[in-house]
Amino acid sequence: MRPQDLLVPTPAGLCCPPGGFHIDPVRPVARAIISHGHSDHARPGHGAVLATQETLELMRLRYGDAFAGNTQAIRYGEPITLDSVTVTLHPAGHVLGSAQIAVTANGLRMVASGDYKDAPDPTCAPFELVHCDVFITEATFGLPVFHHGDAAAEINKLLHSVALFPERAHLVGAYSLGKAQRVLALLRAAGYDKPIYLHGALDSITQYYAQTIPLGDLRNVRGTPKPDLAGAIALCPPSALKDLWTRRFPDPLTAFASGWMRVRARARQHGVELPLVISDHADWAGLTATIAATGASEVWVTHGAEDALVHWCDLQGLAARPLRIVGYGEEDEPDGADAPEANA
Amino acid sequence: MNRFAELLDRLAFEPSRNGKLRLMLEYFRGVPDPERGFALAALTGALSFQHAKSGLIRALISERADPVLFDLSYDFVGDLSETVALMWPAPLHAAQDDAESPTLTAVVKTLSTLGKAELPAQLARWLDHLDETGRWALLKLVTGAMRIGVSARLAKTAVAMLGDKEPDEIELLWPGLAPPYLDLFAWIEGRAGKPATGDPVPFRPVMLSHAIEETDFAALDPAQYYAEWKWDGIRVQAVAASRPNGTRVTRLYSRTGEDISASFPDLADALAFDGAIDGELLIMREGRVQSFNVLQQRLNRKTVTAKLLNEFPAHLRAYDLLVEDDKDLREQPLSLRRARLEALIARLHEPRIDLSPQISFGDWATLARARSDPASAGAGPDADAIEGVMLKRRDSAYLPGRPKGLWWKWKRDPFVVDAVLMYAQRGHGKRSSYYSDYTFGVWTAGENGDELVPVGKAYFGFTDAELLEIDRFVRRNTIERFGPVREVVHEREQGLVFEVAFEGLQRSTRHKSGLAMRFPRISRLRWDKPPRDADRLETLEAILMKIEEGGRLTSATARP
């Protein structure tokens, strides 16, 4: 079987005709396997959805109980057969419940990684390397300028600023699924034990994380008197950083936790005073090391800076093609941060 | 280097002055000598070494990175030093804070002695042992393009705060100091006495005036004051002396103590006296003072060419004498300083230096007339370069800063026009949740009838309460969004009219209207006025033509 017969890029997303399903479809389909809960990959309205328990729970939190016709949860590593195809899910290290989707038929194994990172994250299972013939990768940070470094050092930068400006509220923009909870866990790991304040949009997902991961004393910004927020750390979705919402804080200082913060022009565009380079995606070194380690002889690139990564594959003698799937990367795209806050 | 790089990194993103001061203060407090001294030198632009050219940086990266990947990266990042700093392939063995990571001190000392041929290899060695931020700071330092929004004055202010000193005290010592400023820090921290100033031509902190209000006049006695024209040039302090060995040294300082002699060698060479004169730098052609528009063409030029010197001859119009020979006159009353200044200028016979004349007046009404029509009140053709009058108490000592009640400025009324808000942009820092930068336009004939053409941008002049009102208006009347910019409704019957005050007009090819305003600000919100009644471009063009003709123009004629 040829790779292009096992998985076919279509406008709805990657389709597996022999298995009768789509992976992370951007339009409603009959059967979908979902890699993780971010809204650009996990959309409502499919007939049947297969995903990890955590991903299903997160979709339920965001879209309500009727987000799909029916659902089936599978554990990491548990094989499931769909017609002539075997599917297994493996930790992607991206956010809680995130999975790479391995599709095997007639001795050909293809891995659709979804979004992934090979860096440690206290809030989700670590990335698992899966050997395969074709590796389907993202390229959100697919340029050699992206090196995410040590997230704990970035958290220290934030705590240092809190110590230096104790009268200012520190607002940290963080995506509401995954990044916000990772920042909370990292703050606790760094020994910060004061209450941390949350924007309402982070509430339900954070509570869900807190069922299994201790995140300490969390409070709502709403209802907290302004003077109590002096010197406090508050987390919010990135779009709220420029919102009227910030006016309830005394002399707010804006931070933004994102891989994009590595590039100054990006940070400045957002009016960020304290850029924190913390990313839930693999950086350039992570992408290239992972591709090499999978042993894949062919690489497909779903979304992001695909030109540079495809060029790198060419240099390594790997067959590579960009899929240019429209609709991915929007949840984490900072330029979209001005859009109405639905789910980011 | 890493600690210095962190400081630069934070300073580059910190919008507020106080925030920047706090960051620098913390750095100077926590970092030992001589490292902090070299940091102070870097921040004040006091380091001198051959800067690396961008070609060298490009060559370094091209040996280490694939050209396609470099181009794609540069395209995304947009800044050469930053691109190289981010994509530099650090060798695996070089951890971030290894022993070979260079200190700022080592970098500065090495650069000052290094031959040009050795620079690339040395730079590469340093880059190998720094992290992203360290590499970025190093490249900014060696290319001489720091641009982090910190003035030399602000850095000195932070040092002063370290020891509860006044920044002016440091300014006075500064010309005699050299990196890494061990003696300065020792004095600031109380470990040693004040460093001696070895400079024969030091800067003296300038005396500033208060803007006079209508209500202030009642309490003032005209007989106690001198009046002078307020010149629209650059306030300078011209200092000249002879060294013990007989060589001459002259210097021109800006009002903040910045040495600007190199930009005005024609005037600096003409300072054939011993002392310190406070005055205005102006451009003089054929005995006539030129307007600020003309002066501006000489400012901000990187190289001072013979042509520039010839076409824009610099001139000093003197109004105070702080030091004569080695006698400090600042404690003396202005009447005495003025008499000595008049005598000095007369003796000098230097065509580039003359006296700022006094305006004779017996009462405030007479002075008000002179202010509204300087040409008829003795200023003649120089009236173009006058932006109001100054009042100085005859018995005033020359005190640094802005002491109350001694000197007043009474500026000419600004030009005002009514313009319509067209676009609003979010501000920075504290104002990042407010639409606080406004582009406004006036009417002009277009292809399909009258249309608004943008004529300027302003982000102050309004009160905090007014900002809230405008912000609310912008949010409710947005018709289009472009990133941080919103287009706001601006039709004949619908929109917001601003009364915009400004100090002057210039032709500009950068703006569609062909005009640029000088110092525009929002002076009033005209909620009462429909946009159709706002001013037209013809009004502004008429003002500009009068300015260019050099005719007297009072604010009364600026209004249609």
Side-chain angles (χ1 to χ4, degrees):
Chain A
M1 180 173 280
R2 298 179 308 170
Q4 59 269 41
D5 297 328
L6 183 56
L7 285 176
V8 184
T10 72
L14 274 178
C15 175
C16 178
F21 62 87
H22 284 77
I23 293 174
D24 291 353
V26 295
R27 300 176 186 173
V29 299
R31 292 206 292 179
I33 303 181
I34 304 291
S35 66
H36 67 284
H38 278 146
S39 60
D40 49 339
H41 293 258
R43 296 175 192 247
H46 304 307
V49 170
L50 180 74
T52 62
Q53 184 66 41
E54 293 87 347
T55 297
L56 292 174
E57 300 276 358
L58 288 165
M59 289 177 78
R60 196 163 287 129
L61 280 175
R62 287 191 149 174
Y63 304 127
D65 285 335
F67 71 92
N70 63 72
T71 61
Q72 183 181 349
I74 57 169
R75 289 189 300 275
Y76 291 130
E78 176 189 347
I80 184 160
T81 304
L82 297 162
D83 296 331
S84 60
V85 175
T86 305
V87 172
T88 48
L89 267 49
H90 306 269
H94 177 57
V95 297
L96 185 59
S98 65
Q100 309 173 73
I101 299 161
V103 180
T104 312
N106 292 342
L108 174 70
R109 173 180 271 192
M110 299 178 73
V111 170
S113 62
D115 291 334
Y116 66 97
K117 71 168 175 290
D118 55 343
D121 179 342
T123 64
C124 65
F127 178 83
E128 178 190 318
L129 186 72
V130 184
H131 291 277
C132 57
D133 303 295
V134 179
F135 187 58
I136 304 171
T137 182
E138 58 143 327
T140 306
F141 292 107
L143 280 171
V145 294
F146 289 110
H147 169 62
H148 298 330
D150 178 14
E154 299 297 296
I155 292 295
N156 283 338
K157 209 162 114 182
L158 172 62
L159 292 176
H160 180 217
S161 180
V162 171
L164 190 59
F165 298 99
E167 77 289 0
R168 301 183 69 178
H170 283 58
L171 308 191
V172 183
Y175 304 117
S176 60
L177 165 52
K179 186 68 61 62
Q181 297 76 29
R182 185 175 172 209
V183 168
L184 290 170
L186 286 167
L187 279 165
R188 296 312 184 200
Y192 186 80
D193 55 8
K194 293 187 185 152
I196 300 176
Y197 294 84
L198 297 182
H199 184 283
L202 304 183
D203 228 24
S204 60
I205 292 175
T206 305
Q207 276 180 28
Y208 175 69
Y209 266 71
Q211 289 171 12
T212 48
I213 301 152
L215 297 175
D217 185 355
L218 304 177
R219 300 187 188 177
N220 274 321
V221 171
R222 181 175 303 148
T224 306
K226 195 167 181 171
D228 293 2
L229 294 168
I233 296 176
L235 267 61
C236 62
S239 61
L241 289 177
K242 288 175 180 168
D243 201 59
L244 304 172
W245 181 78
T246 60
R247 296 187 195 165
R248 61 184 78 202
F249 293 92
D251 196 4
L253 186 153
T254 55
F256 188 2
S258 162
W260 297 111
M261 294 299 105
R262 184 53 94 187
V263 174
R264 276 155 208 286
R266 283 296 182 112
R268 242 177 261 121
Q269 240 169 39
H270 290 267
V272 172
E273 291 156 78
L274 188 66
L276 302 173
V277 186
I278 302 177
S279 174
D280 284 337
H281 294 268
D283 61 10
W284 176 257
L287 292 169
T288 54
T290 304
I291 290 171
T294 59
S297 55
E298 192 171 334
V299 177
W300 295 2
V301 185
T302 52
H303 61 286
E306 59 251 6
D307 292 348
L309 201 58
V310 168
H311 176 77
W312 179 86
C313 289
D314 288 345
L315 292 177
Q316 314 302 311
L318 298 170
R321 60 183 282 215
L323 301 184
R324 303 211 162 87
I325 294 179
V326 176
Y328 290 160
E330 280 161 15
E331 168 146 335
D332 281 9
E333 179 52 48
D335 294 333
D338 205 29
E341 180 55 31
N343 46 32
Chain B
M1 188 78 203
N2 281 330
R3 185 71 187 78
F4 176 65
E6 272 169 41
L7 173 69
L8 287 193
D9 187 45
R10 281 302 310 270
L11 287 174
F13 285 111
E14 174 58 54
S16 92
R17 182 178 181 275
N18 279 337
K20 285 179 208 267
L21 281 174
R22 195 119 43 111
L23 289 166
M24 287 190 281
L25 181 59
E26 193 215 17
Y27 176 88
F28 291 130
R29 191 172 279 149
V31 173
D33 291 323
E35 188 81 353
R36 61 178 172 176
F38 287 112
L40 177 60
L43 291 168
T44 52
L47 290 176
S48 58
F49 45 76
Q50 188 90 36
H51 288 140
K53 298 252 169 29
S54 61
L56 190 159
I57 314 281
R58 271 177 186 277
L60 281 179
I61 195 69
S62 71
E63 290 164 17
R64 287 165 178 80
D66 176 79
V68 174
L69 292 179
F70 171 76
D71 286 346
L72 287 168
S73 298
Y74 187 19
D75 201 44
F76 182 83
V77 174
D79 177 281
L80 179 68
S81 292
E82 190 182 343
T83 309
V84 173
L86 291 179
M87 71 182 299
W88 186 265
L92 288 176
H93 60 85
Q96 277 182 23
D97 38 25
D98 64 19
E100 287 181 63
S101 176
T103 61
L104 176 62
T105 307
V107 169
V108 171
K109 285 190 169 169
T110 308
L111 282 176
S112 61
T113 56
L114 200 65
K116 206 174 170 185
E118 300 154 281
L119 182 58
Q122 178 61 69
L123 206 49
R125 269 198 298 282
W126 284 330
L127 290 169
D128 279 347
H129 293 281
L130 289 166
D131 65 5
E132 281 85 354
T133 311
R135 291 193 292 260
W136 167 78
L138 176 67
L139 290 172
K140 288 284 160 192
L141 188 71
V142 299
T143 52
M146 300 253 284
R147 283 196 227 108
I148 43 154
V150 171
S151 64
R153 174 73 177 187
L154 198 64
K156 291 171 200 167
T157 305
V159 174
M161 285 166 71
L162 191 60
D164 273 330
K165 300 281 195 288
E166 288 300 316
D168 281 337
E169 285 187 86
I170 296 185
E171 213 68 80
L172 281 176
L173 298 171
W174 193 254
L177 303 173
Y181 310 111
L182 301 179
D183 46 354
L184 172 68
F185 283 105
W187 166 64
I188 290 278
E189 291 174 340
R191 291 180 280 112
K194 199 167 179 170
T197 151
D199 187 16
V201 283
F203 172 70
R204 275 95 181 168
V206 300
M207 178 160 173
L208 301 168
S209 60
H210 283 269
I212 201 161
E213 304 287 341
E214 215 57 52
T215 48
D216 291 322
F217 287 103
L220 304 181
D221 173 8
Q224 287 187 334
Y225 284 85
Y226 288 128
E228 297 166 7
W229 300 118
K230 182 168 179 4
W231 298 102
D232 196 5
I234 312 174
R235 177 94 180 261
V236 291
Q237 193 175 106
V239 196
S242 295
R243 290 213 169 84
N245 65 9
T247 56
R248 290 290 297 165
V249 48
T250 63
R251 205 167 286 151
L252 284 167
Y253 292 103
S254 73
R255 55 180 261 181
T256 54
E258 198 188 338
D259 181 357
I260 55 170
S261 316
S263 302
F264 301 97
D266 45 348
L267 182 57
D269 287 348
L271 306 178
F273 57 87
D274 282 2
I277 291 178
D278 186 5
E280 200 83 2
L281 190 149
L282 300 159
I283 298 297
M284 183 84 101
R285 284 176 185 160
E286 290 158 10
R288 208 183 125 183
V289 175
Q290 304 296 303
S291 71
F292 192 81
N293 284 0
V294 177
L295 173 57
Q296 208 159 37
Q297 299 171 56
R298 178 156 172 184
L299 298 177
N300 304 325
R301 295 293 184 92
K302 267 192 181 153
T303 49
V304 183
T305 61
K307 186 165 176 277
L308 199 66
L309 293 177
N310 199 31
E311 285 178 18
F312 301 93
H315 183 90
L316 176 65
R317 189 144 278 185
Y319 34 66
D320 213 326
L321 185 62
L322 315 188
V323 177
E324 188 175 22
D325 300 323
D326 30 19
K327 196 164 159 42
D328 193 332
L329 305 176
R330 288 178 291 174
E331 307 268 297
Q332 306 291 331
L334 174 61
S335 51
L336 181 136
R337 298 200 305 275
R338 175 82 192 184
R340 294 185 72 148
L341 177 69
E342 286 174 7
L344 172 68
I345 301 289
R347 275 201 313 275
L348 267 182
H349 259 305
E350 167 55 59
R352 282 185 187 272
I353 304 174
D354 67 4
L355 201 61
S356 183
Q358 290 179 331
I359 311 162
S360 60
F361 71 105
D363 52 44
W364 299 128
T366 312
L367 188 61
R369 273 195 301 279
R371 165 177 167 270
S372 64
D373 188 4
S376 323
D382 287 352
D384 271 5
I386 288 172
E387 56 165 3
V389 296
M390 295 292 302
L391 290 172
K392 296 178 176 175
R393 252 181 89 118
R394 290 165 184 260
D395 60 357
S396 59
Y398 193 95
L399 300 172
R402 213 183 285 276
K404 264 229 130 56
L406 299 179
W407 288 12
W408 303 93
K409 59 183 168 196
W410 191 13
K411 283 181 84 160
R412 181 187 63 195
D413 290 337
F415 300 112
V416 286
V417 289
D418 289 330
V420 184
L421 171 63
M422 298 176 72
Y423 303 94
Q425 186 173 355
R426 267 194 304 253
H428 296 281
K430 275 185 187 189
R431 280 180 168 184
S432 61
S433 75
Y434 296 89
Y435 286 87
S436 62
D437 297 12
Y438 310 116
T439 301
F440 44 82
V442 294
W443 295 104
T444 188
E447 281 173 21
N448 308 308
D450 276 354
E451 59 182 33
L452 286 164
V453 56
V455 289
K457 210 174 168 181
Y459 45 91
F460 63 99
F462 38 81
T463 64
D464 285 352
E466 286 173 329
L467 172 60
L468 272 172
E469 288 174 40
I470 308 172
D471 181 77
R472 202 174 304 132
F473 176 84
V474 169
R475 290 173 190 274
R476 287 182 185 165
N477 293 280
T478 300
I479 52 177
E480 188 100 55
R481 298 166 187 230
F482 313 93
V485 177
R486 289 189 180 201
E487 182 171 7
V488 183
V489 64
H490 48 85
E491 289 162 16
R492 286 180 61 76
E493 303 302 327
Q494 237 192 320
L496 174 55
V497 177
F498 288 147
E499 182 184 277
V500 178
F502 56 100
E503 297 300 316
L505 275 179
Q506 270 182 288
R507 297 205 180 274
S508 163
T509 48
R510 281 173 50 201
H511 301 86
K512 196 177 159 197
S513 62
L515 302 172
M517 286 179 171
R518 188 163 160 230
F519 201 49
R521 66 269 187 193
I522 310 295
S523 55
R524 220 152 41 111
L525 306 184
R526 298 296 306 265
W527 297 106
D528 56 311
K529 202 166 195 177
R532 67 179 141 82
D533 292 343
D535 278 311
R536 301 187 59 86
L537 189 59
E538 291 82 3
T539 310
L540 285 168
E541 275 162 359
I543 297 174
L544 178 63
M545 265 161 69
K546 286 196 182 151
I547 291 175
E548 284 179 341
E549 282 162 17
R552 254 316 294 153
L553 191 68
T554 63
S555 57
T557 60
R559 288 212 73 106

